[in-house]
Amino acid sequence: MNIEVEIIEFKVPYENNKTIFVWGIQPTFTEAFIYESVWKAFSAFGPLYLLKVCPNAAVAEPGFYALIKYFSAAQASQAQRAMEGRGLFQTTPLRVRVSTKKLPSFLSDPSSRRPLSHSRCQDLANHYLGFNGWCTRIITVKDLSSDVDQLGLGAPGPAPAPGPEGSPQERSLRYGCMVELSFPKHQLSCRGVGIAEETFLVSSPEVALLKRGKLQRWARDKAVVQAFEKVLLLTLGNGKVVVEVRVDRDEVLPEEHLEGLIQVNNVPWSQLNPEEEEEEWDLTVNM
């Protein structure tokens, strides 16, 4: 029995087979209405990374077209087949096609792909794993500021030269954060590190305190994003989702945290489909 496996990464999708175009949208609707209607219809097949609604070129007939990008090629294909020739919110049928545009050369290198934002990582993990399928834990937050102010926000150090009396002073704050990203049901975890820094004018102690809180949260979010970059979601044709974690060889961890952190996720096929555990499986992986 053949089971198709698709790999979902926590990075910006760029593949052609994850992008579809919608033509033939009538000009009698507003862009806001079209956006809302198209999003509602096409997000039913899976989470969308991008939706853009644009007016047709001046040389074409009046109207609009939409560009939709999925995280999953299988979901994009399913949406194209289901929506082709349907009118949805209008009387005339829509034309829906998978993109055939050639990728720029710089996108052919997977290492050049950008990671998703913190909120996108959360949305994608929630969709495939559920709200209880993953969690994060802050291991440490450290002040890495090279020059520490005199407001009690860090260890003593040389202060910048004072400006005119009563004028705001320039300060630099830099924070680092390490988090652990865990998937309890899969007994897997990985770590991420994030650094945030900013130079700003301090007019009062309250301003510095607010900046400190902002940078700590920013460093935490960056650390979570870096941890998600190490995660692969393997979606199976029978609806199951398997989590795999890529751990760098040069990732140095304290000894007390090594046990159980680096694992090979060996999932027996009987867990994926108990009713067919005796069958021979042939996996086809789509990238």
Side-chain angles (χ1 to χ4, degrees), residues 1-3 238 273 276 279-283:
M1 180 176 180
N2 295 330
I3 285 190
N238 58 7
N273 197 329
E276 304 179 23
E279 296 192 26
E280 183 177 352
W281 298 84
D282 178 21
L283 297 184

Side-chain angles (χ1 to χ4, degrees), residues 92-111:
T92 57
L94 297 172
R95 296 168 55 197
V96 183
R97 294 289 187 273
V98 176
S99 172
T100 57
K101 183 178 180 181
K102 186 177 180 180
L103 291 174
S105 58
F106 70 88
L107 285 178
S108 60
D109 181 9
S111 63

Side-chain angles (χ1 to χ4, degrees), residues 133-137 139 179-192 226-228 230-232 243-248 251 253 256-265:
W134 63 281
C135 60
T136 58
R137 176 177 67 90
I139 297 175
V179 302
E180 183 177 67
L181 174 63
S182 302
F183 305 91
K185 294 180 181 179
H186 301 267
Q187 298 182 347
L188 290 171
S189 62
C190 59
R191 293 186 174 187
Q226 192 200 56
F228 268 116
K230 303 176 183 179
V231 177
L232 298 176
V243 177
E244 290 291 345
V245 173
R246 298 175 296 189
V247 179
D248 301 329
E251 184 175 352
L253 301 174
E256 63 269 21
H257 295 294
L258 283 176
E259 184 178 359
L261 182 60
I262 303 176
Q263 305 181 40
V264 175
N265 192 10

Side-chain angles (χ1 to χ4, degrees), residues 211-270:
K211 287 291 184 181
R212 182 179 71 171
K214 171 190 172 183
L215 291 175
Q216 288 176 344
R217 292 190 297 271
W218 191 10
R220 177 203 62 197
D221 291 350
K222 284 187 172 183
V224 172
V225 168
Q226 192 200 56
F228 268 116
E229 286 188 75
K230 303 176 183 179
V231 177
L232 298 176
L233 300 178
L234 279 63
T235 62
L236 310 182
N238 58 7
K240 298 287 185 178
V241 178
V242 178
V243 177
E244 290 291 345
V245 173
R246 298 175 296 189
V247 179
D248 301 329
R249 290 187 176 183
D250 58 350
E251 184 175 352
V252 180
L253 301 174
E255 292 184 1
E256 63 269 21
H257 295 294
L258 283 176
E259 184 178 359
L261 182 60
I262 303 176
Q263 305 181 40
V264 175
N265 192 10
N266 185 14
V267 181
W269 291 116
S270 59

Side-chain angles (χ1 to χ4, degrees), residues 24-242:
I25 303 177
Q26 295 178 350
T28 54
F29 306 100
T30 64
E31 289 190 35
F33 174 82
I34 296 170
Y35 186 96
E36 182 179 355
S37 301
V38 171
W39 182 280
K40 182 178 179 180
F42 283 85
S43 62
F45 299 92
L48 307 183
Y49 169 73
L50 175 71
L51 168 59
K52 292 182 66 176
V53 176
C54 307
N56 291 340
V59 295
E61 295 181 359
F64 298 90
Y65 69 92
L67 182 150
I68 305 169
K69 187 176 289 292
Y70 285 88
F71 291 98
S72 163
Q75 292 169 354
S77 178
Q78 182 183 7
Q80 188 275 326
R81 293 193 304 268
M83 293 301 180
E84 167 62 20
R86 294 183 57 185
L88 295 181
F89 50 85
Q90 62 184 37
T91 56
T92 57
L94 297 172
R95 296 168 55 197
V96 183
R97 294 289 187 273
V98 176
S99 172
T100 57
K101 183 178 180 181
K102 186 177 180 180
L103 291 174
S105 58
F106 70 88
L107 285 178
S108 60
D109 181 9
S111 63
S112 66
R113 294 175 57 193
R114 294 183 291 111
L116 296 177
S117 66
H118 179 258
S119 61
R120 289 294 183 91
C121 287
Q122 289 182 312
D123 292 342
L124 195 60
N126 289 338
H127 175 81
Y128 284 102
L129 304 174
F131 292 95
N132 298 322
W134 63 281
C135 60
T136 58
R137 176 177 67 90
I138 296 178
I139 297 175
T140 183
V141 177
K142 188 173 182 180
D143 186 352
L144 304 176
S145 306
S146 57
D147 57 306
V148 182
D149 56 41
Q150 304 299 308
L151 301 174
L153 300 181
E165 185 176 355
S167 63
Q169 297 186 19
E170 186 177 85
R171 302 291 182 184
S172 294
L173 288 179
R174 190 169 188 254
Y175 281 90
C177 180
M178 176 182 290
V179 302
E180 183 177 67
L181 174 63
S182 302
F183 305 91
K185 294 180 181 179
H186 301 267
Q187 298 182 347
L188 290 171
S189 62
C190 59
R191 293 186 174 187
V193 176
I195 296 177
E197 57 185 325
E198 186 175 352
T199 300
F200 57 96
L201 295 177
V202 179
S203 57
S204 67
E206 289 78 11
V207 171
L209 289 171
L210 290 174
K211 287 291 184 181
R212 182 179 71 171
K214 171 190 172 183
L215 291 175
Q216 288 176 344
R217 292 190 297 271
W218 191 10
R220 177 203 62 197
D221 291 350
K222 284 187 172 183
V224 172
V225 168
Q226 192 200 56
F228 268 116
E229 286 188 75
K230 303 176 183 179
V231 177
L232 298 176
L233 300 178
L234 279 63
T235 62
L236 310 182
N238 58 7
K240 298 287 185 178
V241 178
V242 178

